[in-house]
Every structure is written in C-alpha cells, then in structure tokens.
Amino acid sequence: MLKSILTTSVLAVFFVISFNSYSQEMPDDLKMYEIIDEVSAERLETDIRKLAGFGTRHTMSDTVSKTRGIGAARRWIKAEFEKISKECGNCLEVYEQRTLVKADPETRIYEDTYVVNIYAIQKGTDYPNRYAIMSGDIDSRASDVKNYKIDAPGANDNATGMAGAIEAARVLSKHKFKSSIIYAGLSGEEQGLYGGKFLAEKAKEEGWEIIGILNNDMIGNIEGVDGVIDNRSFRIFSEPYSSTSTERSLLMKRFYGGENDGDSRQLARFVYETTKAYMPEMNPIMIYRLDRFGRGGHHRPFNELGFSGVRIMEAHENYNRQHQDIRIEDGIAYGDVIEGVNFAYCAKMTAVNAIVLAAMASGPASPTDVKVGGIVQPSAKLSWGKVDGAKGYKVYWRETTSAVWQYSRYVGDVSSFTLEGIVLDNFLFGVGSVGENGYESVIAYPTGVLRN
Ligand SMILES: [Zn+2]
C-alpha cells in the first residue's frame, strides 16, 4: 500500500516536471535537423578570423584601406552576402543603409561619421512584408571607446554575431520560407546603438511587419571570467513588456495581469521552445530583463519603436576579453582576440538562430486582438481575430508563476473558445495560430478584456 502511494506520487511529480519543461509543439520536420547540420563551425571560424583580421572595426575607423578598418569589413560582408545570393539564384536582396551622424562632442561620435548597416533580405513566398530578423554587429571597440586607431579585433564582440548572421544566410538561403528573413550587420553599436536605431526607423517608416528580431551579441565565448566553462548554455534577454505601453495598458496589467507577457517576452519563449524541441542538448536560459544590468544591445532600439526583439548571447562572459586593449597586465591576457572564441559553440548558437528564424518564417502570423474574460465563473473565455494562413488556433495557459506555457488545447478554426473548468484567476492565457504545415505563430497574450 505504502509502496503504491509512493509510486503514484513519484509519477505525479514526474508528470508535472515533464509537462513544465516546454509545451509549445513544434512539427516533426526533418528540414529543421538539416538546417542544424548544415551550419559549419569551419566556415564560422574562417569568417570570424577574417573579421578580426581587419584590425579594428571601430565605427569611426578607416573606410578607405582595403585591409584595415570598418570600410574594408563592410565591403567584405556585402560581398559575402552577394556571393551567397549568387549561389541561390539571386534569392537575397543585399542592401547598404548609410546614415550620416553629425559630430557631437557630447556623444561617442565626435567627428562626422557615416554609420553603415549591411543587410540581406530573403523574400518570403507568401508574406514578403513579414520579417524574421537576425542581427550581429559589424563594429568593435577597445578600452577607450573613442580610440578608432588602436587594434580592436572584436573576435567575440561581435564578429561571432556577424559571422553567425552570414552563416545563417548561407544555410537558410537553400530553403524557401513563407515570410521574409533578414540577415543584418548593424554598425555604431558601441558608439550608442546607432545602426539598430536607423534600421528600426526604416522598418517603421516602411511598415514592415516584424515577427521578431534576434539580436546576437557575443555568441562565441564558453569560458567565464570566473573560470566556468559551459558550451551548452546561452541566455535570451527580453523586456517584460513594451516601453511604448500606454498608461491604459499598464493600468490593465495591474488589474488583469500580464507584467511578464509583453511581445518580446513571448518571442523569448518561442526561442526557448524551438531550441528545446530541436536541439535538446542546448540549455537556453530566459533572463527576465531587457539586457544585462545597465548595459545595452541592438535589440533595444527595435523595442523602443514597439517591435519584438530579444538579445541572444553566451551564458558566461569573459570581461578580460571585452572592450579591452590587447595587453598583458599582472600576468592576465586582455583583449577580444580569436583565442577567446569557441567555433563549435558559435556554430550551435548560429543553429539556434537558424531554426528559430525558420520556424518564425514558416508559421502564420499571431492571432490579432486577443481578449480574455470569464470573471466569477469556473471557466475562461478567449476571443481573437483570425489571420491569413492559419488552419486553426491553439489556446495556451500556464500557472501565474510559470515562465513557460504549460498547457494547450487545439480548438480548430474558430475565433473564440471557452475553457470549461479552468478558473481565470489562477492562470495566464494566450493564443497561437497553427499553419497547415504544423508550424505555429509566436503566442499572443490578450490585450483586451471580454465583458460577460
Ligand atoms: Zn561590445
């Protein structure tokens, strides 16, 4: 008797844990495993060495030299995207976005400087104006952020993110996707997030429908400054809810919940779930924070214009190898040099991005105008707006303290549903769109309340 009670309780605990680990279903699609296998650590190594080899990629560095400075680096990046495009029958549109930033002694740009982004667009077959974006940064820096002459190889920060975006383009350009994918090299990051701001502004002006931006900033270091070595973990930083939230929507959160359910947070969950589904050897860690404590990255300017975006990066940073002049001091080697990059890990991180981009660009859009209600009833009601390309919808819910969606129910091609026996007060709810191919959208959190 005692034994059977024990067995039952152990089973129950196991059930809860396994259910908690992840729940957004991903289709059994062999293409995803092909994509993972196609990412090449050797090609990443070649590209990271090439980028570090430009000596410095400081935003204000030489633009004329063929071998040194940011001009040579961006011409090489553009040529790589063009080469990839040629190999896929011109499937990429390669762009250069040049913006003049006027000298301002109060800022880190103290001479007139062109901030130049290089990006490639792989147009979607069904929804060309809907974009999944992966970004890395072109620029680098040394100890003094204003010194554009000294060596700043930026091997990890952020040749890894840049090389990752180029490699993702090589791999994904062999496949077709419903939505568009952008592989972006952004510049002016270290001087004040300029490149991201300019691309986000362009997206806003041109009405791009952005599913999400995956900002990769340092995806190659596996040895923390504290000596911890970990080649499986990585962090996904996301803001809790949009900084553009209206006062009314903040008031709604106070009374209805949703403090941890902004669009970028849902994107972070999507990255987490996709990784768990196809790369179970990896250990994604969601960090409930816009970015590292007091520090910035290129997803932020997108967030500031209301777009979903997360920062993806290594789990253990090595501060001796970031933003440091190359030198030896008290027996410690400083500098962001090639020796600090683990190419196999960078390949894993690139594969994470590639499958998330593929999943985002394969699924339908998230349902619109999701509303939830069911006050003082033992049920929860949801309604939403249907989207093009969805065969049906899935209702998700989770305990209020759970970081990931725990429970789901496919409800078919309807625009409202009542979950009987699920008390509204005790859970948080969301709705996802499901495509014919099995791919799902990023889950949408309710932005309105249904009156009974
Ligand atoms: Zn940096």
Side-chain angles (χ1 to χ4, degrees):
M1 182 61 190
L2 183 64
K3 190 168 179 266
S4 84
I5 289 170
L6 268 177
T7 314
T8 315
S9 68
V10 166
L11 275 178
V13 168
F14 178 73
F15 176 74
V16 169
I17 289 169
S18 70
F19 217 56
N20 268 347
S21 63
Y22 70 94
S23 83
Q24 187 168 21
E25 272 173 49
M26 299 283 160
D28 294 320
D29 185 349
L30 290 176
K31 180 178 79 188
M32 294 299 250
Y33 299 103
E34 270 171 43
I35 288 169
I36 294 166
D37 291 343
E38 281 163 10
V39 172
S40 158
E42 289 72 30
R43 283 193 300 257
L44 283 161
E45 175 171 355
T46 304
D47 291 356
I48 293 165
R49 285 184 185 277
K50 182 78 193 177
L51 286 162
F54 291 113
T56 175
R57 302 185 308 281
H58 191 287
T59 299
M60 298 164 71
S61 62
D62 194 322
T63 59
V64 179
S65 164
K66 286 198 168 83
T67 53
R68 187 178 172 87
I70 195 161
R74 64 200 185 208
R75 284 191 296 276
W76 176 79
I77 292 163
K78 189 158 182 262
E80 280 304 302
F81 280 136
E82 282 162 353
K83 204 192 293 176
I84 295 164
S85 185
K86 226 177 208 161
E87 280 162 21
C88 61
N90 300 318
C91 77
L92 301 181
E93 295 165 13
V94 183
Y95 294 95
E96 184 178 280
Q97 184 190 21
R98 292 175 78 85
T99 313
L100 179 66
V101 179
K102 285 287 200 184
D104 179 350
E106 299 293 300
T107 71
R108 291 173 171 188
I109 293 194
Y110 54 98
E111 289 171 10
D112 287 5
T113 304
Y114 276 101
V115 168
V116 182
N117 296 324
I118 308 285
Y119 59 97
I121 304 182
Q122 182 178 348
K123 281 283 179 192
T125 53
D126 295 29
Y127 308 105
N129 194 44
R130 191 187 297 156
Y131 299 92
I133 306 175
M134 174 181 182
S135 69
D137 302 304
I138 302 173
D139 63 308
S140 66
R141 62 166 284 190
S143 297
D144 173 4
V145 71
K146 293 188 173 177
N147 188 339
Y148 56 78
K149 294 221 162 101
I150 196 169
D151 276 351
N156 190 44
D157 182 13
N158 187 10
T160 55
M162 185 66 248
I166 295 170
E167 178 65 5
R170 282 193 196 103
V171 169
L172 295 180
S173 59
K174 298 199 176 81
H175 302 269
K176 292 229 182 304
F177 300 97
K178 288 181 185 295
S179 296
S180 298
I181 299 176
I182 300 182
Y183 313 95
L186 303 175
S187 199
E189 198 267 347
E190 305 291 5
Q191 310 312 112
L193 310 178
Y194 287 95
K197 181 171 174 276
F198 298 144
L199 191 61
E201 282 169 356
K202 183 181 169 70
K204 189 95 186 171
E205 275 162 30
E206 296 183 359
W208 299 4
E209 192 188 322
I210 295 183
I211 307 165
I213 173 161
L214 310 176
N215 168 42
N216 285 259
D217 198 343
M218 290 187 265
I219 55 168
N221 175 64
I222 63 165
E223 185 186 6
V225 77
D226 50 6
V228 174
I229 294 181
D230 180 349
N231 66 355
R232 287 290 182 264
S233 302
F234 68 93
R235 294 178 287 176
I236 312 158
F237 288 89
S238 61
E239 62 178 6
Y241 50 80
S242 178
S243 58
T244 64
S245 297
T246 60
E247 209 149 307
R248 189 184 142 69
S249 81
L250 293 176
L251 198 66
M252 281 187 61
K253 287 186 207 312
R254 183 158 162 75
F255 291 101
Y256 306 118
E259 296 87 345
N260 288 308
D261 280 277
D263 292 344
S264 294
R265 189 58 51 76
Q266 304 306 343
L267 177 64
R269 293 189 177 109
F270 190 86
V271 175
Y272 178 92
E273 303 283 5
T274 308
T275 307
K276 285 282 189 180
Y278 299 109
M279 299 179 70
E281 75 276 23
M282 295 304 282
N283 174 31
I285 305 164
M286 279 194 284
I287 307 285
Y288 275 22
R289 197 172 245 168
L290 167 65
D291 206 322
R292 287 97 24 95
F293 193 94
R295 291 189 288 165
H298 255 151
H299 55 307
R300 192 172 91 205
F302 284 86
N303 290 163
E304 281 164 357
L305 290 185
F307 294 121
S308 300
V310 297
R311 179 192 187 111
I312 293 179
M313 82 176 297
E314 63 212 25
H316 304 279
E317 289 179 68
N318 193 322
Y319 311 112
N320 295 346
R321 297 180 184 144
Q322 287 176 19
H323 303 180
Q324 296 279 0
D325 293 349
I326 302 170
R327 67 192 191 281
I328 293 178
E329 215 175 273
D330 300 328
I332 298 169
Y334 291 89
D336 190 354
V337 293
I338 210 84
E339 289 71 28
V341 178
N342 183 291
F343 306 107
Y345 176 73
C346 187
K348 289 279 185 194
M349 297 302 297
T350 301
V352 164
N353 278 272
I355 57 170
V356 174
L357 291 170
M360 283 199 281
S362 298
S366 303
T368 60
D369 195 26
V370 179
K371 292 193 173 89
V372 66
I375 193 166
V376 298
Q377 287 166 57
S379 62
K381 288 181 195 170
L382 287 133
S383 78
W384 55 89
K386 289 187 178 187
V387 293
D388 195 24
K391 71 166 181 187
Y393 299 86
K394 205 184 256 184
V395 172
Y396 282 90
W397 66 104
R398 68 179 205 272
E399 284 148 30
T400 57
T401 52
S402 172
V404 294
W405 295 103
Q406 294 169 294
Y407 316 103
S408 66
R409 179 163 167 183
Y410 181 67
V411 297
D413 190 16
V414 296
S415 61
S416 67
F417 195 78
T418 301
L419 285 165
E420 296 294 349
I422 305 293
V423 177
L424 178 66
D425 307 328
N426 304 343
F427 298 94
L428 295 165
F429 299 86
V431 185
S433 312
V434 184
E436 286 291 351
N437 56 11
Y439 282 97
E440 293 186 24
S441 69
V442 175
I443 293 166
Y445 189 81
T447 52
V449 173
L450 278 176
R451 304 293 163 195
N452 291 316

